[in-house]
Coordinates of all heavy atoms in Angstrom, one line a residue:
V1 N 75.1 15.4 7.7 CA 75.8 15.5 9.0 C 75.4 14.3 9.8 O 74.3 13.8 9.9 CB 75.3 16.8 9.8 CG1 75.9 16.9 11.1 CG2 75.6 18.0 9.0
G2 N 76.5 13.7 10.5 CA 76.2 12.5 11.3 C 77.3 11.5 11.0 O 78.5 11.8 10.6
T3 N 77.0 10.2 11.2 CA 77.9 9.1 11.1 C 77.5 8.3 9.8 O 76.5 8.5 9.2 CB 77.9 8.2 12.3 OG1 76.6 7.5 12.4 CG2 78.2 9.0 13.6
S4 N 78.3 7.3 9.5 CA 78.0 6.5 8.3 C 76.8 5.7 8.5 O 76.2 5.2 7.5 CB 79.2 5.6 8.0 OG 79.5 4.8 9.1
T5 N 76.4 5.4 9.7 CA 75.2 4.6 10.0 C 73.9 5.5 10.2 O 72.8 5.0 10.1 CB 75.4 3.7 11.2 OG1 75.7 4.5 12.3 CG2 76.5 2.7 10.9
R6 N 74.1 6.7 10.6 CA 73.0 7.6 10.9 C 73.4 9.0 10.6 O 74.2 9.6 11.2 CB 72.6 7.4 12.4 CG 71.3 8.3 12.7 CD 70.9 8.1 14.1 NE 69.8 9.0 14.3 CZ 68.9 8.8 15.2 NH1 68.9 7.7 15.9 NH2 67.9 9.7 15.4
F7 N 72.7 9.5 9.5 CA 73.0 10.9 9.2 C 71.8 11.5 8.6 O 70.8 10.9 8.2 CB 74.2 11.0 8.2 CG 74.0 10.3 6.9 CD1 73.4 11.0 5.8 CD2 74.3 9.0 6.7 CE1 73.2 10.4 4.6 CE2 74.1 8.4 5.5 CZ 73.5 9.1 4.4
T8 N 71.8 12.8 8.4 CA 70.7 13.6 7.8 C 71.3 14.7 7.0 O 72.4 15.2 7.3 CB 69.7 14.1 8.9 OG1 68.6 14.7 8.3 CG2 70.4 15.1 9.8
Y9 N 70.6 15.1 6.0 CA 71.0 16.3 5.2 C 70.4 17.5 6.0 O 69.2 17.5 6.2 CB 70.4 16.2 3.8 CG 71.0 17.3 2.9 CD1 72.2 17.2 2.3 CD2 70.2 18.5 2.7 CE1 72.7 18.2 1.5 CE2 70.7 19.5 1.9 CZ 72.0 19.3 1.3 OH 72.5 20.3 0.6
T10 N 71.2 18.5 6.3 CA 70.7 19.6 7.1 C 71.5 20.9 6.7 O 72.4 20.9 6.0 CB 70.7 19.3 8.6 OG1 70.0 20.3 9.3 CG2 72.2 19.2 9.1
A11 N 71.0 21.9 7.3 CA 71.7 23.2 7.3 C 71.9 23.7 8.7 O 71.0 23.6 9.5 CB 70.9 24.3 6.5
I12 N 73.2 24.1 9.0 CA 73.5 24.6 10.3 C 74.2 25.9 10.2 O 75.0 26.2 9.3 CB 74.5 23.5 11.0 CG1 73.8 22.2 11.1 CG2 74.9 24.0 12.3 CD1 74.8 21.1 11.5
G13 N 74.0 26.8 11.2 CA 74.7 28.0 11.3 C 73.8 29.1 11.8 O 72.6 29.0 11.9
D14 N 74.5 30.2 12.2 CA 73.7 31.4 12.7 C 72.7 31.9 11.7 O 71.6 32.4 12.1 CB 74.8 32.5 13.1 CG 74.1 33.6 13.8 OD1 73.4 33.3 14.8 OD2 74.2 34.8 13.4
S15 N 73.1 31.9 10.4 CA 72.2 32.4 9.4 C 70.9 31.6 9.3 O 69.8 32.1 9.1 CB 72.8 32.4 8.0 OG 73.9 33.4 8.0
V16 N 71.1 30.3 9.4 CA 69.9 29.4 9.4 C 69.0 29.6 10.6 O 67.8 29.7 10.5 CB 70.4 27.9 9.4 CG1 69.2 27.0 9.4 CG2 71.2 27.7 8.1
N17 N 69.7 29.8 11.8 CA 68.9 30.1 13.0 C 68.1 31.4 12.9 O 67.0 31.5 13.3 CB 69.9 30.1 14.2 CG 69.2 30.3 15.5 OD1 68.2 29.6 15.8 ND2 69.7 31.2 16.3
L18 N 68.8 32.4 12.3 CA 68.1 33.7 12.2 C 66.9 33.6 11.2 O 65.9 34.1 11.5 CB 69.1 34.8 11.7 CG 68.5 36.2 11.6 CD1 67.8 36.6 12.9 CD2 69.6 37.2 11.2
A19 N 67.1 32.9 10.1 CA 66.0 32.7 9.2 C 64.8 32.0 9.9 O 63.7 32.3 9.7 CB 66.4 31.9 8.0
S20 N 65.1 31.0 10.7 CA 64.1 30.3 11.5 C 63.4 31.3 12.4 O 62.1 31.3 12.6 CB 64.7 29.2 12.3 OG 63.7 28.6 13.1
R21 N 64.1 32.1 13.1 CA 63.5 33.1 14.0 C 62.6 34.1 13.2 O 61.5 34.4 13.7 CB 64.5 33.9 14.8 CG 65.5 33.1 15.6 CD 64.9 32.7 16.9 NE 66.0 32.2 17.7 CZ 65.9 31.1 18.4 NH1 64.7 30.5 18.5 NH2 66.9 30.7 19.1
V22 N 63.0 34.5 12.1 CA 62.3 35.4 11.2 C 61.0 34.7 10.8 O 59.9 35.4 10.7 CB 63.1 36.0 10.1 CG1 62.3 36.7 9.1 CG2 64.2 36.9 10.6
E23 N 61.1 33.5 10.4 CA 59.9 32.7 10.0 C 58.8 32.8 11.1 O 57.7 33.0 10.8 CB 60.3 31.3 9.6 CG 59.1 30.4 9.3 CD 58.5 29.7 10.5 OE1 59.1 29.4 11.4 OE2 57.2 29.6 10.4
G24 N 59.2 32.6 12.3 CA 58.3 32.6 13.4 C 57.6 33.9 13.6 O 56.5 34.0 14.2
I25 N 58.2 35.0 13.3 CA 57.7 36.3 13.5 C 56.5 36.5 12.6 O 55.6 37.4 12.9 CB 58.8 37.4 13.2 CG1 59.8 37.3 14.3 CG2 58.2 38.8 13.2 CD1 61.0 38.2 14.1
N26 N 56.3 35.8 11.5 CA 55.2 35.9 10.6 C 53.9 35.8 11.4 O 52.9 36.5 11.1 CB 55.2 34.8 9.5 CG 56.0 35.2 8.4 OD1 55.7 36.1 7.6 ND2 57.1 34.4 8.2
K27 N 53.8 35.0 12.4 CA 52.6 34.7 13.2 C 52.1 36.0 13.9 O 50.9 36.2 14.0 CB 52.7 33.6 14.1 CG 53.7 33.7 15.2 CD 53.7 32.4 16.1 CE 55.0 32.5 16.9 NZ 55.3 31.2 17.4
F28 N 53.0 36.9 14.3 CA 52.6 38.1 14.9 C 51.9 39.1 13.9 O 51.0 39.8 14.2 CB 53.8 38.8 15.6 CG 54.4 38.1 16.7 CD1 55.5 37.3 16.5 CD2 53.7 38.1 18.0 CE1 56.1 36.6 17.6 CE2 54.3 37.3 19.0 CZ 55.4 36.6 18.8
Y29 N 52.5 39.1 12.7 CA 52.1 40.1 11.7 C 51.0 39.6 10.8 O 50.4 40.3 10.0 CB 53.3 40.6 10.9 CG 54.3 41.3 11.7 CD1 55.3 40.6 12.4 CD2 54.2 42.7 11.9 CE1 56.2 41.3 13.2 CE2 55.1 43.3 12.8 CZ 56.1 42.6 13.4 OH 57.0 43.3 14.2
G30 N 50.7 38.3 10.9 CA 49.7 37.7 10.0 C 50.2 37.6 8.5 O 49.4 37.6 7.6
T31 N 51.5 37.5 8.3 CA 52.1 37.5 7.0 C 52.6 36.1 6.7 O 52.5 35.2 7.5 CB 53.3 38.5 7.0 OG1 54.2 38.1 8.1 CG2 52.9 39.9 7.1
S32 N 53.1 35.9 5.5 CA 53.5 34.6 5.0 C 55.0 34.6 4.8 O 55.7 33.6 5.0 CB 52.8 34.2 3.7 OG 51.5 34.0 4.0
I33 N 55.6 35.7 4.3 CA 57.0 35.8 4.0 C 57.7 37.0 4.6 O 57.3 38.2 4.2 CB 57.3 35.8 2.5 CG1 56.6 34.7 1.7 CG2 58.8 35.8 2.2 CD1 56.6 34.8 0.2
I34 N 58.6 36.8 5.5 CA 59.3 37.9 6.1 C 60.8 37.7 5.8 O 61.3 36.6 5.9 CB 59.1 38.1 7.6 CG1 57.6 38.5 7.9 CG2 60.1 39.1 8.2 CD1 57.3 38.7 9.3
A35 N 61.5 38.8 5.5 CA 62.9 38.7 5.2 C 63.7 39.8 6.0 O 63.1 40.8 6.4 CB 63.2 39.0 3.7
T36 N 64.9 39.5 6.3 CA 65.8 40.5 7.0 C 66.2 41.5 6.0 O 66.1 41.3 4.8 CB 67.0 39.8 7.6 OG1 67.8 39.2 6.5 CG2 66.7 38.7 8.6
S37 N 66.7 42.6 6.5 CA 67.2 43.7 5.6 C 68.4 43.1 4.8 O 68.6 43.6 3.6 CB 67.6 44.9 6.4 OG 68.6 44.6 7.3
A38 N 69.2 42.2 5.3 CA 70.3 41.6 4.6 C 69.9 40.9 3.3 O 70.4 41.1 2.2 CB 71.1 40.7 5.4
L39 N 68.8 40.2 3.4 CA 68.2 39.5 2.2 C 67.6 40.5 1.3 O 67.8 40.4 0.1 CB 67.2 38.4 2.7 CG 66.7 37.5 1.6 CD1 65.7 38.0 0.7 CD2 67.8 36.6 1.0
R40 N 66.8 41.4 1.8 CA 66.1 42.4 1.0 C 67.2 43.2 0.2 O 67.0 43.4 -1.0 CB 65.3 43.3 1.9 CG 64.2 44.2 1.1 CD 64.7 45.5 0.6 NE 65.7 46.1 1.4 CZ 65.6 47.3 2.0 NH1 64.5 48.0 1.9 NH2 66.6 47.8 2.7

C-alpha cells in the first residue's frame, strides 16, 4: 500500500482491526492467545 516511492506491505480492514483489539484483551486475562467466536 502506498506509492511507487514509498510503500509498505500491510493488512487493512475491519477484521484486522478487530483482531488487534482482541490481541489487546489478553493483558486483562493474563492469556497469550484469544480468538473471536468467528475464528473458533
